Amino acid sequence: MAVYNHRSSTTESVDSPSCTCGQCPRSNVSKRIQLRIMAGAKQSMDDLEGEAKSCDEESLDSELIEQQLYPCNFVPPDAREPTKEALLGAHDILLIIHISLQAGVIPSVRSIRRAYEIEKEQFPHVRDFLACGGSIPYILEELTSQVEGDMRGEAYHEDTEELLEALERVPPCALDKDLSHWRRALDI
C-alpha cells in the first residue's frame, strides 16, 4: 500500500483561463475535469470497498488512518474509532459524487447531504462515516487532491482505457487542467 498524503496549495488566480470549447457548464468545470473526477471517484470506491473487505469486523488498523495510507486517507486522521463501515460510508459519498457527475450535475456538500437523506437505504454507511468524525467536505478535498496529483503526473492511478476513450470524445478546453473552478463550485 502506497502513502498518499498531499494537500493542494492551488489558489485561483485572476488570470484563470476561461472556457474555449463552448461545452462547459456555468460553473466552468470542463467536461474533461468532470470525467477525471468521476474516474478518480470510481477507482477510490473500488479501493475503499476492497480495503473494507480485508478489514476485521471490529475496527480499522489505526496506523492506516494515522499515516493516511491510501485508501484510508478518505477517513480523517482524527476520526473517532473508525470502522469498516466508515470506509464504506466514504465509498457511499464518492458514489453520490459519481452519480451526480454522470447526471451532469456538479455536486455540492448540500446536494450530497440531500441525496443521502433522501436515499438512506441506498447509502447505509454514510451515517457511520459521519459518526466517526468524517465529513463530506473532507471527502471532496481528498478526491480533488488525488485528481490534482494524477494530473500533475504524480499518478496514483493510471488512466484507464475507459477514461482515455471518454476523454477522446470530448473537445479540448483551456479549463482541462484547471481545478480552481471545481474547487470554487464545491467551496473547498
Side-chain angles (χ1 to χ4, degrees):
M1 190 179 297
V3 175
Y4 183 83
N5 186 23
H6 75 269
R7 297 278 187 252
S8 170
S9 59
T10 304
T11 57
E12 187 173 352
S13 92
V14 176
D15 300 326
S16 183
S18 57
C19 175
T20 57
C21 71
Q23 293 189 8
C24 295
R26 286 184 315 157
S27 63
N28 277 335
V29 178
S30 83
K31 296 291 185 186
R32 288 174 179 239
I33 291 287
Q34 292 178 49
L35 289 169
R36 287 196 171 280
I37 296 288
M38 285 173 46
K42 176 146 181 22
Q43 182 63 52
S44 297
M45 286 186 300
D46 293 345
D47 294 342
L48 282 162
E49 194 169 54
E51 186 67 32
K53 285 179 182 176
S54 71
C55 291
D56 67 22
E57 289 302 314
E58 294 302 312
S59 65
L60 298 174
D61 181 347
S62 61
E63 196 171 302
L64 294 176
I65 301 297
E66 290 168 11
Q67 293 180 13
Q68 290 289 274
L69 298 175
Y70 179 85
C72 293
N73 60 307
F74 282 98
V75 177
D78 57 350
R80 297 177 300 277
E81 300 180 33
T83 62
K84 170 177 163 169
E85 286 74 19
L87 274 184
L88 293 171
H91 168 280
D92 288 351
I93 292 169
L94 288 167
L95 179 57
I96 293 169
I97 294 166
H98 191 272
I99 291 169
S100 296
L101 288 168
Q102 274 186 320
V105 176
I106 304 299
S108 66
V109 171
R110 191 168 154 191
S111 69
I112 294 167
R113 187 172 286 123
R114 188 173 35 239
Y116 157 66
E117 289 169 355
I118 292 169
E119 300 288 339
K120 285 184 181 178
E121 291 177 18
Q122 186 177 348
F123 309 111
H125 300 292
V126 172
R127 172 183 280 161
D128 299 303
F129 175 77
L130 298 173
C132 81
S135 71
I136 295 167
Y138 187 85
I139 294 283
L140 290 166
E141 178 61 45
E142 284 299 313
L143 176 60
T144 303
S145 294
Q146 174 184 310
V147 170
E148 279 178 324
D150 291 350
M151 289 171 59
R152 282 193 306 264
E154 302 163 3
Y156 191 79
H157 296 115
E158 295 293 321
D159 290 345
T160 64
E161 282 297 316
E162 180 182 349
L163 174 60
L164 294 173
E165 288 171 9
L167 290 172
E168 283 181 25
R169 291 189 300 268
V170 177
C173 182
L175 297 173
D176 288 345
K177 298 195 184 293
D178 183 5
L179 278 161
S180 65
H181 295 284
W182 168 256
R183 286 182 173 284
R184 188 174 62 230
L186 300 175
D187 197 26
I188 59 173

